[in-house]
């Protein structure tokens, strides 16, 4: 959470500090592009950034509208499969909990990007490279599943903690990266974290349910400890004080659609 606050603070400071000095002596222009990289999640079944064993291929498409040499708007669609395993943890409690999950992440959203230096896919802007930050808002869909005898079971309908939650959520994407250009082609390397408002991306948040409150199948998927459910009912299963996060990181390539370059001054 501290990292997200720092990114939001940096983005806000950049927006306030540079909005009055941004170069407007270029016509706005459009780009279309592709994103490719990896994604992962942070929650009860993974506490760390860049978990090599859990990172999965991710991809997407986007449309960017450059307002000027410092600011641009970007609309995007991204997809990734995330997963988590207690078996990979070194924590005794988590190993005994013995849960796992996988889930698709499909997101659609928009963000405002800020370039620290003047940058545009135009000959009139000489700089070839700039760091940038971004912030925005997006909708995402997820659907946690777990393996049961070789078959993946949807966990949300089971209510494994006796709690109903929605698979459709809102998130705040924030991140940073580095942009480069070559003619009408733009490139970037970027890392973006999504602050969510749900703790159920992995279907884990609160305590073990009481026997009989949920179905037998739900009890079996909820409790993988090997300890009978009556003995652990009401005890901690997850950490409801922290919401789940997910991350997209990778590279983009974009193409400038228009040839117009400089606003004519009469």
């Amino acid at each position: 959470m501290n990292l997200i606050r720092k990114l939001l603070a940096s983005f806000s400071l950049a927006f306030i500090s540079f909005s009055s000095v941004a170069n407007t002596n270029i016509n706005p222009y459009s780009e279309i592009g592709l994103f490719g990289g990896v994604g992962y999640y942070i929650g009860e079944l993974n506490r760390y950034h860049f978990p090599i064993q859990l990172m999965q291929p991710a991809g997407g498409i986007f449309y960017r509208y450059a307002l000027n040499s410092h600011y641009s708007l970007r609309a995007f669609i991204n997809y990734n499969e995330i997963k988590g395993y207690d078996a990979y943890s070194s924590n005794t409690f988590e190993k005994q909990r013995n849960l796992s999950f996988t889930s698709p992440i499909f997101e659609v959203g928009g963000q405002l990007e800020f370039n620290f230096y003047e940058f545009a896919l135009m000959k009139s802007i000489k700089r070839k490279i700039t760091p940038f930050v971004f912030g925005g808002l997006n909708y995402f869909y997820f659907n946690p599943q777990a393996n049961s005898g070789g078959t993946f079971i949807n966990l949300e309908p089971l209510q494994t903690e006796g709690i109903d939650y929605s698979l459709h959520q809102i998130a705040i994407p924030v991140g940073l990266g580095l942009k480069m250009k070559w003619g009408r082609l733009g490139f970037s390397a970027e890392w973006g974290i999504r602050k969510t408002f749900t703790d159920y991306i992995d279907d884990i948040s609160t305590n073990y349910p009481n026997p009989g409150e949920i179905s037998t199948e739900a009890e079996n998927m909820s409790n993988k400890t090997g300890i009978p459910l009556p003995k652990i009912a009401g005890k901690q299963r997850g950490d409801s004080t922290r919401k789940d996060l997910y991350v997209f990181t990778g590279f983009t390539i974009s193409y400038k659609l228009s040839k117009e370059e400089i606003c004519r001054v009469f």
Side-chain angles (χ1 to χ4, degrees), residues 6 9 12 14 44 50 68 73-74 86 125 182 193 217 231 237:
K6 289 178 181 179
S12 300
E44 277 81 358
F50 301 103
N68 52 53
L73 298 172
R74 175 168 157 184
D86 273 337
I125 303 297
W182 182 48
I193 191 168
E217 183 182 21
K231 293 187 177 182
R237 184 172 184 262

Side-chain angles (χ1 to χ4, degrees), residues 156-167 169 198 200 203:
E156 181 269 334
L158 298 179
Q159 297 185 20
T160 56
E161 293 181 349
I163 296 174
D164 186 26
Y165 57 89
S166 175
L167 300 179
Q169 298 283 338
T198 178
Y200 277 102
D203 193 63

Side-chain angles (χ1 to χ4, degrees), residues 219-249:
E219 290 182 4
N220 292 334
M221 298 304 291
S222 176
N223 178 21
K224 299 289 187 179
T225 62
I227 302 172
L229 184 59
K231 293 187 177 182
I232 59 174
K235 293 186 177 180
Q236 181 183 4
R237 184 172 184 262
D239 180 4
S240 61
T241 64
R242 297 193 226 175
K243 304 300 184 185
D244 294 334
L245 309 170
Y246 68 94
V247 173
F248 281 92
T249 184

Side-chain angles (χ1 to χ4, degrees), residues 127-158:
R127 183 174 291 276
K128 302 287 187 181
I129 188 169
T130 182
F132 73 102
V133 292
F134 62 83
L137 186 70
N138 73 276
Y139 152 87
F140 74 97
Y141 166 81
F142 68 105
N143 184 26
Q145 300 175 322
N147 194 324
S148 176
T151 301
F152 280 88
I153 305 296
N154 292 334
L155 297 174
E156 181 269 334
L158 298 179

Side-chain angles (χ1 to χ4, degrees), residues 31-202:
E31 304 170 42
I32 56 172
L34 299 173
F35 165 80
V38 296
Y40 58 93
Y41 110 109
I42 297 177
E44 277 81 358
L45 296 178
N46 173 53
R47 299 293 186 185
Y48 305 102
H49 282 287
F50 301 103
I52 301 300
Q53 293 174 302
L54 301 178
M55 294 165 72
Q56 297 290 295
I61 59 175
F62 67 90
Y63 168 83
R64 178 183 286 125
Y65 186 71
L67 300 168
N68 52 53
S69 59
H70 282 287
Y71 293 101
S72 58
L73 298 172
R74 175 168 157 184
F76 56 86
I77 300 174
N78 291 324
Y79 181 82
N80 177 231
E81 294 274 349
I82 58 173
K83 61 182 181 178
Y85 296 92
D86 273 337
Y88 292 163
S89 175
S90 58
N91 180 277
T92 302
F93 166 78
E94 292 172 356
K95 277 191 172 297
Q96 185 181 48
R97 184 175 58 187
N98 194 33
L99 294 173
S100 63
F101 91 107
T102 182
S103 174
I105 293 287
F106 173 79
E107 66 171 11
V108 179
Q111 64 193 36
L112 176 64
E113 300 175 344
F114 171 76
N115 304 323
F116 283 94
Y117 300 113
E118 288 189 346
F119 181 87
L121 303 185
M122 296 180 171
K123 293 180 181 178
S124 58
I125 303 297
K126 302 300 183 184
R127 183 174 291 276
K128 302 287 187 181
I129 188 169
T130 182
F132 73 102
V133 292
F134 62 83
L137 186 70
N138 73 276
Y139 152 87
F140 74 97
Y141 166 81
F142 68 105
N143 184 26
Q145 300 175 322
N147 194 324
S148 176
T151 301
F152 280 88
I153 305 296
N154 292 334
L155 297 174
E156 181 269 334
L158 298 179
Q159 297 185 20
T160 56
E161 293 181 349
I163 296 174
D164 186 26
Y165 57 89
S166 175
L167 300 179
H168 305 270
Q169 298 283 338
I170 297 296
I172 299 175
V174 291
L176 71 171
L178 199 65
K179 288 181 181 177
M180 297 149 279
K181 70 176 183 178
W182 182 48
R184 292 172 67 177
L185 292 176
F187 307 90
S188 76
E190 59 188 53
W191 178 89
I193 191 168
R194 275 62 170 168
K195 170 179 167 44
T196 79
F197 301 92
T198 178
D199 192 36
Y200 277 102
I201 289 180
D202 49 20

